């Protein structure tokens, strides 16, 4: 009885991440609201400190892939999760996107999030440049949310505990209700966690929340040591959704803490019930189980790649049919990171570094192709990198362009009204306007589908009998659903490549992942006029096959967002002729040779395949 009071004081708070980070790390964020809702009431009964349900990649994936309104997900979850505070991850000035947004977008996003039921905002900046989280913190305080301010934990010769303690003090001064150690890559070793938490507890009085990943299988030990050092809140995921690139297992942590002064006092049977549910629910998402890369990977400590990033890289490489080059890309990541001034690797810096590493490997030459995001990063538009960047690399990419010293947010004009105009009558609410400001293109596509009667009724595969009897062209659908063993798969024909030896490559998107299938056609429709039939297959015209050195081609399948040359232009080798969006990034396509642009076979909006000649330079 004597230590009852002590027990209450040291009892550790639990945040469960199953509804957000766990499936973001393990299943590319693909879990649908319909699979979260049935178990939400049980989760609400657990007595969690908070439940993480939103933010990070949720927004993007909901709109882009799941064709779900993320705001609606929040409202529906809030209706069931009545007792447990809802938590989200907010990327500071990047909100839930990959670039900096204007202050008006940040503020309205926070206001609407609180209004729709969000309680705790874990706010971070990828570069630990706290100028980038000022606006979000102020907004959360203003609208009555709780501020959980985070610093990103990472390794590298420039980092040490004194630096993190200094960050924590700054966050406390900025108004944090709790401070989060955000160990997004699972790099925090158990003894280091003990020392770090001990140092933090000495320096600040704000409660400390530990977020870690099990990528290198240290998370249980790390979490226990952090608890012993006095950490106040820990992150776990239900065991069937834990481990690997996800969080430490909930049940395991409960067993370990049982009977100690830190015991959170949560009913294991109830946790077991929720866990059984997810054991089944996870099976539905088998296609997103990222080829084994979500398992234990001690190399994460060497590469310092966060869980979500490993699964993203795997998905990107799978889309490029280059999953076998994963090791090379992982080895390239630390090199790019060093060139970029040792940023912690977390969205968006992880995407910026990761995509650049992928491009460096796939193109066979460092920084031959760079994304617009890399340019902006090197210009200082994401904030100040923790250490100086490699000047040679900066010169190669930016030339003599000056670097920005101001808070990047100060350079961005208000964006909300522009988004309102763009969304027009597609926006049904203020929330829609915010979605449009965050992801303009994706939101407009989403809203269009929604207007047509959402969820979209996919065209059915025509039965054999529907082949036109008049002998006219047989137009196959380019997008449809296929049912296999009761599971539905969304199939989209991205395009067809050039036939050789009787076989033709088809680029199919199965659940938005590109699969190249070499087909020996049994029957092919021969268009009466060249190009006339192709709009039914991916909406493009037929282009010549790239064969000559001056046939500029895309390094990967994507969508043309800008054509930067016209016929007759003189170009130098290395000049940018096109910008292509692929892998969520803008990629510049350069001409490998100098000469005159003699033909252009693309226009903005076209989808392109890697074997096509897009621009001809002679
Ligand atoms: Mn995480």
């Amino acid at each position: 009885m004597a230590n009852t009071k002590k027990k209450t004081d040291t009892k550790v708070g639990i945040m469960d991440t199953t509804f957000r980070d766990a499936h973001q790390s393990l299943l590319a964020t693909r879990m649908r609201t319909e699979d979260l809702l049935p178990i939400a009431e049980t989760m609400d009964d657990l007595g969690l400190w908070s439940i993480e349900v939103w933010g990070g990649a949720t927004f993007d994936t909901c709109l882009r892939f799941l064709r779900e309104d993320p705001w609606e997900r929040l409202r529906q979850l809030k209706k069931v999760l009545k007792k447990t505070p809802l938590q989200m991850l907010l990327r500071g000035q990047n909100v839930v996107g990959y670039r900096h947004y204007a202050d008006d977008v940040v503020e309205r996003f926070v206001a609407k999030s609180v209004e729709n039921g969000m309680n705790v905002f874990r706010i971070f900046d990828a570069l630990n440049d706290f100028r980038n989280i000022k606006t979000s913190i102020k907004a959360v305080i203003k609208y009555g949310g709780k501020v959980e301010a985070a610093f990103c934990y990472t390794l590298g010769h420039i980092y040490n505990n004194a630096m993190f303690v200094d960050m924590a003090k700054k966050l406390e001064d900025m108004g944090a209700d709790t401070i989060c150690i955000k160990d997004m890559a699972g790099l925090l070793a158990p003894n280091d966690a003990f020392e770090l938490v001990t140092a933090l507890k000495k320096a600040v009085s704000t409660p400390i929340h530990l977020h870690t990943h099990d990528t290198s299988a240290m998370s249980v030990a790390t979490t226990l040591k952090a608890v012993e050092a006095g950490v106040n809140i820990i992150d776990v995921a239900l065991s069937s959704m834990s481990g690997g690139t996800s969080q430490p297992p909930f049940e395991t942590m409960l067993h370990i803490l049982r009977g100690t002064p830190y015991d959170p006092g949560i009913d294991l049977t109830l946790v077991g019930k929720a866990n059984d549910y997810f054991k089944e629910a996870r099976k539905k998402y088998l296609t997103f189980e990222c080829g084994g890369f979500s398992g234990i990977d001690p190399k994460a400590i060497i590469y310092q790649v966060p869980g979500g990033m490993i699964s993203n890289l795997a998905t990107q490489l799978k889309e490029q049919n280059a999953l076998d080059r994963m090791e090379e890309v992982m080895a390239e990541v630390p090199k790019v990171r060093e060139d970029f001034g040792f940023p912690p690797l977390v969205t968006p810096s992880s995407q910026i570094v990761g995509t650049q590493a992928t491009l460096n490997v796939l193109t066979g030459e460092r920084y031959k192709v760079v994304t617009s995001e890399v340019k902006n990063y090197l210009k200082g538009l994401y904030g100040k990198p923790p250490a100086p960047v490699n000047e040679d690399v900066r010169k190669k990419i930016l030339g003599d362009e000056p670097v920005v010293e101001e808070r990047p947010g100060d350079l961005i004009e208000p964006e909300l009204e522009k988004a309102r105009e763009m969304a027009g009558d597609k926006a049904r609410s203020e929330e829609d306007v915010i979605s449009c400001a965050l992801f303009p293109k994706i939101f407009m596509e989403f809203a269009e589908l929604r207007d047509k009667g959402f969820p979209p009724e996919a065209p059915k595969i025509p039965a054999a009998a529907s082949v036109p009897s008049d002998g006219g062209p047989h137009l196959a659908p380019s997008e449809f659903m296929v049912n296999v063993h009761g599971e539905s798969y969304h199939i989209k024909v991205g395009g067809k490549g050039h036939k050789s030896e009787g076989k033709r490559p088809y680029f199919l998107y199965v659940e938005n992942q590109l699969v190249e299938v070499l087909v020996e056609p049994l029957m092919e429709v021969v268009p009466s006029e060249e190009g006339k039939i192709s709009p039914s297959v991916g909406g493009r015209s037929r282009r010549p096959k790239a064969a000559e050195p001056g046939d500029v081609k895309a390094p990967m399948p994507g969508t043309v967002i800008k054509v930067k040359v016209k016929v007759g232009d003189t170009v130098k080798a290395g000049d940018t002729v096109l910008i292509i969006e692929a892998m969520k990034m803008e990629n510049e396509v350069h001409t490998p040779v100098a000469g005159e642009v003699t033909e252009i076979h693309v226009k903005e909006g076209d989808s392109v395949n890697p074997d096509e000649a897009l621009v001809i330079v002679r």
Side-chain angles (χ1 to χ4, degrees):
M1 290 306 281
N3 62 0
T4 310
K5 187 168 182 303
K6 190 171 178 248
K7 254 188 176 172
T8 320
D9 285 343
T10 53
K11 193 171 135 173
V12 71
I14 302 277
M15 175 172 104
D16 181 273
T17 69
T18 311
F19 282 20
R20 204 282 299 177
D21 202 354
H23 76 100
Q24 179 171 331
S25 298
L26 297 174
L27 307 170
T29 336
R30 289 308 206 285
M31 277 217 161
R32 293 171 179 276
T33 305
E34 64 186 41
D35 290 318
L36 303 175
L37 279 176
I39 200 65
E41 201 182 328
T42 307
M43 298 301 285
D44 198 34
D45 288 335
L46 296 179
L48 299 168
W49 186 82
S50 72
I51 178 164
E52 194 187 36
V53 297
W54 220 49
T58 315
F59 240 81
D60 184 0
T61 315
C62 274
L63 292 170
R64 189 194 297 257
F65 298 124
L66 308 179
R67 303 299 187 189
E68 268 188 25
D69 181 356
W71 298 96
E72 185 54 27
R73 170 177 295 191
L74 175 57
R75 286 188 289 269
Q76 290 195 25
L77 289 172
K78 188 68 181 179
K79 260 189 219 158
V80 188
L81 291 155
K82 296 188 179 103
K83 298 174 278 190
T84 313
L86 302 190
Q87 179 150 352
M88 77 167 292
L89 184 64
L90 183 62
R91 299 168 180 161
Q93 206 73 21
N94 296 313
V95 191
V96 286
Y98 309 99
R99 66 166 177 92
H100 274 61
Y101 296 95
D103 284 342
D104 64 338
V105 176
V106 178
E107 170 155 352
R108 288 316 294 162
F109 177 87
V110 168
K112 279 287 161 186
S113 301
V114 172
E115 198 182 303
N116 282 283
M118 190 51 62
N119 304 101
V120 187
F121 294 75
R122 177 178 289 170
I123 309 168
F124 76 97
D125 175 66
L127 303 182
N128 286 326
D129 182 342
F130 295 155
R131 296 174 305 166
N132 293 332
I133 60 174
K134 252 188 199 156
T135 304
S136 335
I137 290 182
K138 267 197 208 150
V140 172
I141 294 170
K142 178 173 169 188
Y143 294 100
K146 284 232 174 315
V147 175
E148 179 162 298
F151 62 82
C152 299
Y153 178 84
T154 187
L155 300 173
H157 74 272
I158 66 161
Y159 295 96
N160 54 52
N161 279 353
M163 191 173 173
F164 294 125
V165 164
D166 188 51
M167 289 182 199
K169 283 182 181 162
K170 281 191 188 133
L171 296 174
E172 189 170 67
D173 290 343
M174 288 171 84
D177 295 299
T178 47
I179 290 170
C180 174
I181 305 168
K182 182 173 164 61
D183 173 30
M184 59 278 164
L187 300 175
L188 183 58
N191 291 327
D192 295 342
F194 191 89
E195 279 174 26
L196 176 60
V197 173
T198 304
L200 289 172
K201 293 302 287 181
K202 258 188 219 153
V204 296
S205 56
T206 308
I208 310 288
H209 189 155
L210 174 68
H211 175 71
T212 187
H213 285 256
D214 199 41
T215 319
S216 47
M218 298 192 290
S219 72
V220 170
T222 298
T223 303
L224 178 62
K225 291 299 261 183
V227 167
E228 286 173 358
V231 92
N232 305 86
I233 311 137
I234 59 172
D235 282 3
V236 297
L238 292 168
S239 63
S240 58
M241 289 291 288
S242 74
T245 49
S246 175
Q247 270 67 57
F250 198 157
E251 295 91 321
T252 308
M253 285 318 304
L254 287 186
H255 279 296
I256 291 173
L257 297 176
R258 192 152 52 174
T260 71
Y262 317 108
D263 191 342
I266 287 177
D267 179 359
L268 250 170
T269 324
L270 214 52
V271 180
K273 186 182 160 192
N275 186 50
D276 288 345
Y277 172 86
F278 275 99
K279 224 179 198 168
E280 281 307 306
R282 183 171 175 170
K283 289 181 186 163
K284 225 173 141 172
Y285 297 91
L286 199 66
T287 49
F288 301 107
E289 299 265 357
C290 303
F293 288 108
S294 43
I296 296 169
D297 192 352
K299 283 192 181 135
I301 302 171
I302 303 164
Y303 299 137
Q304 306 184 0
V305 172
M309 184 177 169
I310 295 176
S311 78
N312 261 334
L313 284 176
T315 307
Q316 283 183 359
L317 286 172
K318 220 167 155 184
E319 283 176 5
Q320 310 311 316
N321 267 318
L323 199 55
D324 57 321
R325 307 195 71 180
M326 187 72 179
E327 287 289 313
E328 281 171 81
V329 171
M330 294 281 274
E332 180 67 11
V333 166
K335 297 200 180 84
V336 175
R337 181 176 176 239
E338 185 176 349
D339 287 340
F340 289 3
F342 293 101
L345 293 181
V346 60
T347 305
S349 59
S350 56
Q351 270 80 2
I352 294 171
V353 170
T355 307
Q356 193 55 52
T358 307
L359 288 170
N360 285 359
V361 168
L362 293 184
T363 59
E365 185 191 322
R366 284 206 176 113
Y367 310 110
K368 181 184 176 189
V369 177
V370 294
T371 62
S372 318
E373 286 81 0
V374 163
K375 284 190 171 175
N376 289 339
Y377 176 90
L378 293 174
K379 274 184 211 164
L381 293 178
Y382 285 89
K384 198 172 180 291
V389 304
N390 181 332
E391 274 309 318
D392 293 339
V393 170
R394 172 141 66 196
K395 277 247 158 61
K396 176 171 179 173
I397 295 171
L398 287 186
D400 291 327
E401 266 191 78
V403 175
V404 165
E405 300 288 344
E406 300 99 304
R407 182 186 77 109
D410 286 335
L411 301 169
I412 310 169
E413 294 290 319
E415 293 177 304
L416 216 50
E417 287 317 307
K418 266 180 269 165
R420 197 183 305 280
E421 257 168 56
M422 179 180 178
D425 56 7
K426 289 264 174 287
R428 298 178 181 179
S429 62
E430 175 84 9
E431 285 82 346
D432 276 352
V433 174
I434 296 165
S435 300
C436 183
L438 294 169
F439 298 100
K441 205 171 135 240
I442 299 164
F443 170 78
M444 291 308 277
E445 280 171 26
F446 163 83
E448 203 152 297
L449 281 171
R450 185 176 59 178
D451 281 352
K452 281 184 196 156
F454 202 75
E457 196 49 56
K460 301 279 183 293
I461 306 170
S466 72
V467 174
S469 53
D470 60 0
H474 166 197
L475 294 175
S478 62
E479 199 175 345
F480 45 86
M481 304 294 288
V482 167
N483 278 289
V484 184
H485 304 307
E487 286 300 321
S488 297
Y489 295 89
H490 178 256
I491 314 278
K492 191 175 163 200
V493 182
K496 50 182 180 181
H498 292 80
K499 200 170 177 177
S500 70
E501 290 164 18
K503 291 189 178 170
R504 190 187 286 290
Y506 274 78
F507 301 96
L508 303 181
Y509 289 89
V510 180
E511 292 294 323
N512 290 298
Q513 286 189 29
L514 192 84
V515 181
E516 191 186 328
V517 193
L518 213 53
V519 175
E520 196 168 341
L522 297 174
M523 180 187 85
E524 270 198 302
V525 180
V526 184
S528 48
E529 276 170 63
E530 187 66 12
K532 200 163 187 189
I533 202 166
S534 49
S536 72
V537 188
R540 84 211 47 181
S541 58
R542 290 182 56 77
R543 300 179 193 105
K545 186 168 182 164
E548 299 292 318
D551 294 351
V552 181
K553 50 186 187 172
M556 63 206 70
T559 309
V560 176
I561 56 171
K562 197 138 201 92
V563 180
K564 303 199 76 159
V565 288
K566 47 189 192 314
V567 171
D569 282 0
T570 307
V571 291
K572 299 191 298 293
D575 278 358
T576 305
V577 294
L578 299 171
I579 296 179
I580 287 183
E581 193 196 76
M583 308 193 295
K584 296 188 199 168
M585 292 280 163
E586 293 179 8
N587 303 279
E588 292 180 349
V589 178
H590 306 282
T591 167
V593 301
E596 189 189 312
V597 175
T598 57
E599 291 167 44
I600 295 177
H601 294 284
V602 287
K603 55 180 189 329
E604 281 160 29
D606 282 358
S607 315
V608 293
N609 294 312
D611 70 342
E612 297 167 337
L614 308 178
V615 172
I616 312 271
V617 177
R618 290 291 183 266

